[in-house]
Amino acid sequence: MTELALKGAPVDRARLLRLLQDYGVYAGVAVLLLVNIALTPHFLSTENFRTQAVQVAPVLIVALGMALAIGSEGVDLSVGSVMALSTSLLSLYLGYGPWVALIVAMLGGAVIGLANGSLIAFIGVQPIVATLALMVAGRGIALVLLPQLKDVRDPGMSSLGSGDLFGVPYLVLIAAALAIAVGFTVKRTTFGRQLLAIGDSRPAAQLAGLPVRRVLILVYVIAGVLAAIAGVLATARLQASDPTSLGTLMELSAITAVVVGGTPLSGGRIRIGGTVAGAVLIQLLTATLIKHDLPPSWTQIAQAVVIVLAVYAARERGKR
């Protein structure tokens, strides 16, 4: 039976699944907003919205890179470790000036991304295996470089972490600019079209003469650089480098944001707007649980449930 009756009107099930996958994340954000407005004291305060926006910025930036990797029919499990590596490098090179430290941190992310992309493109290692190896190695390197938490005392970093432009925090402006840049890249550039073609069918892309290896390597380099930027921004906000815990389980949050945003794990399609909404959904979900005194572990359980539902909807839609 392919049709359901909803309030007396026939509704196609495949259409419902398509709507759920494409717009369910926006409905989820709306529901969480309404629940918090009704039940959470001071939720509508300006300070609360600023806090939520600042906290969602690193998740969104990492999710943008994850969206590119998933769009190419891959995944990047090393993003949390790249954040840890970037905070270690930032702390070590901050004495040479904030711009030098920032560039070195981004280069660290690019090197990890280059290693990921090379393993996948040239050796044929599955993305989940290659990035898992770099996830372990990246965190280890970060801890070798900086074995323990270290305070970051630099005026430039303080300004980056807590400053704003016309009331909008720098972190939010940077995340928004990167989301626009990645969205433009996916929709309007040759690289974006090649990426989606590779994610849709890599053998067909190779037969068509597309530069598959180059595109895959660039995808993971971009993902690594974005994760490094997220690590720098998180360090600036916290005013401390903590490679032990920074970025922990960030890969789960990023994958959840991308998948619930409508980007299928099978590749060939990327929804940047949905990814932005997915990151907001994850942050609202986390804030809701914390504000109502539920243990942090419930956040991980809730994320797992959300991603299972999103994958189920995508799978059912794919059958039709």
Side-chain angles (χ1 to χ4, degrees):
M1 185 174 183
T2 58
E3 291 188 343
L4 299 175
L6 182 63
K7 293 183 178 180
V11 179
D12 185 80
R13 187 184 177 190
R15 186 182 178 191
L16 278 177
L17 290 170
R18 184 169 63 251
L19 291 172
L20 178 63
Q21 189 182 19
D22 289 346
Y23 303 107
V25 63
Y26 303 106
V29 170
V31 168
L32 282 174
L33 284 172
L34 291 174
V35 168
N36 279 285
I37 290 171
L39 303 178
T40 305
H42 311 298
F43 180 76
L44 289 177
S45 67
T46 303
E47 186 59 32
N48 179 60
F49 275 105
R50 179 186 175 94
T51 301
Q52 301 304 322
V54 167
Q55 290 182 343
V56 80
V59 178
L60 171 57
I61 293 171
V62 174
L64 292 172
M66 186 68 76
L68 297 181
I70 291 177
S72 70
E73 202 183 8
V75 71
D76 189 349
L77 299 182
S78 68
V79 288
S81 295
V82 172
M83 290 180 68
L85 178 62
S86 69
T87 195
S88 294
L89 292 171
L90 184 77
S91 183
L92 288 175
Y93 285 88
L94 200 53
Y96 297 95
W99 284 107
V100 173
L102 176 62
I103 292 172
V104 172
M106 291 172 63
L107 284 175
V111 169
I112 295 291
L114 181 63
N116 280 329
S118 298
L119 287 171
I120 295 165
F122 288 104
I123 303 180
V125 179
Q126 289 295 318
I128 192 170
V129 176
T131 57
L132 179 64
L134 269 298
M135 179 180 78
V136 177
R139 181 75 65 177
I141 296 170
L143 290 171
V144 168
L145 294 173
L146 188 68
Q148 58 188 4
L149 185 147
K150 183 179 179 181
D151 289 340
V152 174
R153 303 296 182 190
D154 180 82
M157 287 294 114
S158 298
S159 177
L160 178 63
S162 59
D164 60 63
L165 181 65
F166 303 119
V168 182
Y170 290 143
L171 274 64
V172 177
L173 292 173
I174 293 171
L178 290 173
I180 293 171
V182 173
F184 179 84
T185 301
V186 171
K187 293 289 186 182
R188 301 293 183 185
T189 68
T190 301
F191 168 75
R193 290 189 288 272
Q194 291 174 338
L195 188 165
L196 295 178
I198 292 169
D200 188 47
S201 175
R202 191 179 300 183
Q206 289 172 328
L207 288 174
L210 298 184
V212 175
R213 288 175 174 171
R214 187 174 69 197
V215 171
L216 287 176
I217 289 174
L218 192 53
V219 163
Y220 286 92
V221 168
I222 294 173
V225 171
L226 288 172
I229 293 173
V232 170
L233 296 183
T235 303
R237 182 173 66 85
L238 299 172
Q239 296 294 290
S241 292
D242 184 10
T244 302
S245 62
L246 185 66
T248 302
L249 293 179
M250 180 60 78
E251 58 280 352
L252 174 61
S253 297
I255 292 172
T256 306
V258 173
V259 173
V260 301
T263 297
L265 287 170
S266 55
R269 184 177 178 220
I270 298 174
R271 286 172 56 86
I272 295 301
T275 299
V276 175
V280 174
L281 178 70
I282 297 304
Q283 176 56 34
L284 281 176
L285 189 61
T286 302
T288 302
L289 296 176
I290 292 175
K291 287 181 181 296
H292 291 277
D293 299 324
L294 289 171
S297 55
W298 279 93
T299 301
Q300 298 166 23
I301 296 172
Q303 286 188 30
V305 171
V306 169
I307 198 169
V308 167
L309 290 175
V311 170
Y312 173 77
R315 192 195 68 172
E316 291 298 306
R317 177 182 172 183
K319 290 179 180 178
R320 291 166 171 79

